[in-house]
Amino acid sequence: MQRLKTRPQFQAAMAGGTISRTPHFALHRLRLDAAPADPASGTALPAPAPSNASPAPGPGALPSWQGPQALFAMGSGIAGDPWLGAMVPKRWARRAVTRNAIKRQIYAVAPAFGPQLGAAAHVVRLRAGFDRKQFPSAVSEALKQAVRAELLQLFAQAVRKPGKAQAPARPLAAPAADVPVQPLSGTARP
């Protein structure tokens, strides 16, 4: 399992979508397909030729024909090897010792699920803080066990549903029956 190192790699992996969530963590995935496949024959399509008509939007940006997968094309990596990054913001873990302990747990649990994760870039993101009243010590054994249990649950959900994003936590509200629905076209109907 290779580690994400650059900001564009993290951004591309997070843009891929959330595939599983737990109360404290979210797992984002970007599938790394070698080349897009032709739907009719299933064979790999060649990459489109670069166009000189539109330059890249900014410094360090990839041309649109390369796509985010070019960020993960390392010669030293094994084809199909998963990538992993950990994001533990200060907002949810104030102490550096806690952030580092959580990252160590992420990097320790993930290799067990590496073969099932496949060729993809993954980012595990802490999305809520652990209660400091329940875990007063930054590196208590209870906190380590709680983090590990939740990470095992997070990766197990991702392996169970490899291609689907998790449903939203709250159901979407249905429109009220007495509210009229506006037509999509620009003309109003009487």
Side-chain angles (χ1 to χ4, degrees), residues 31-70:
R31 289 238 177 243
L32 299 176
D33 300 322
D38 180 21
S41 65
T43 61
L45 294 174
S51 156
N52 293 336
S54 62
L62 293 172
S64 61
W65 60 271
Q66 274 188 330
Q69 278 125 359

Side-chain angles (χ1 to χ4, degrees), residues 10 14 32 34 41 43 45 70 79 86 96 104-105 107 110 125 128 136 138 141 160 176:
F10 276 88
M14 292 198 50
L32 299 176
S41 65
T43 61
L45 294 174
R104 279 193 299 272
Q105 291 291 324
Y107 289 123
R125 177 178 55 90
E141 198 59 38
R160 244 191 342 257

Side-chain angles (χ1 to χ4, degrees), residues 88-178:
V88 183
K90 280 186 183 178
R91 178 181 182 184
W92 301 121
R94 291 276 181 204
R95 301 178 198 167
V97 66
T98 306
R99 290 192 303 274
N100 291 333
I102 291 172
K103 285 180 187 179
R104 279 193 299 272
Q105 291 291 324
I106 292 169
Y107 289 123
V109 169
F113 294 93
Q116 293 106 351
L117 292 175
H122 299 85
V123 173
V124 177
R125 177 178 55 90
L126 182 66
R127 63 186 198 107
F130 285 90
D131 186 21
R132 288 184 72 175
K133 292 178 183 174
Q134 186 179 1
F135 305 107
S137 173
V139 289
S140 67
E141 198 59 38
L143 178 62
K144 288 179 184 178
Q145 289 176 356
V147 168
R148 180 173 286 267
E150 202 164 317
L151 288 170
L152 288 170
Q153 178 185 1
L154 181 78
F155 283 108
Q157 287 176 5
V159 170
R160 244 191 342 257
K161 310 182 261 185
K164 298 180 182 177
Q166 186 179 7
R170 289 185 243 150
L172 298 175
D178 58 340

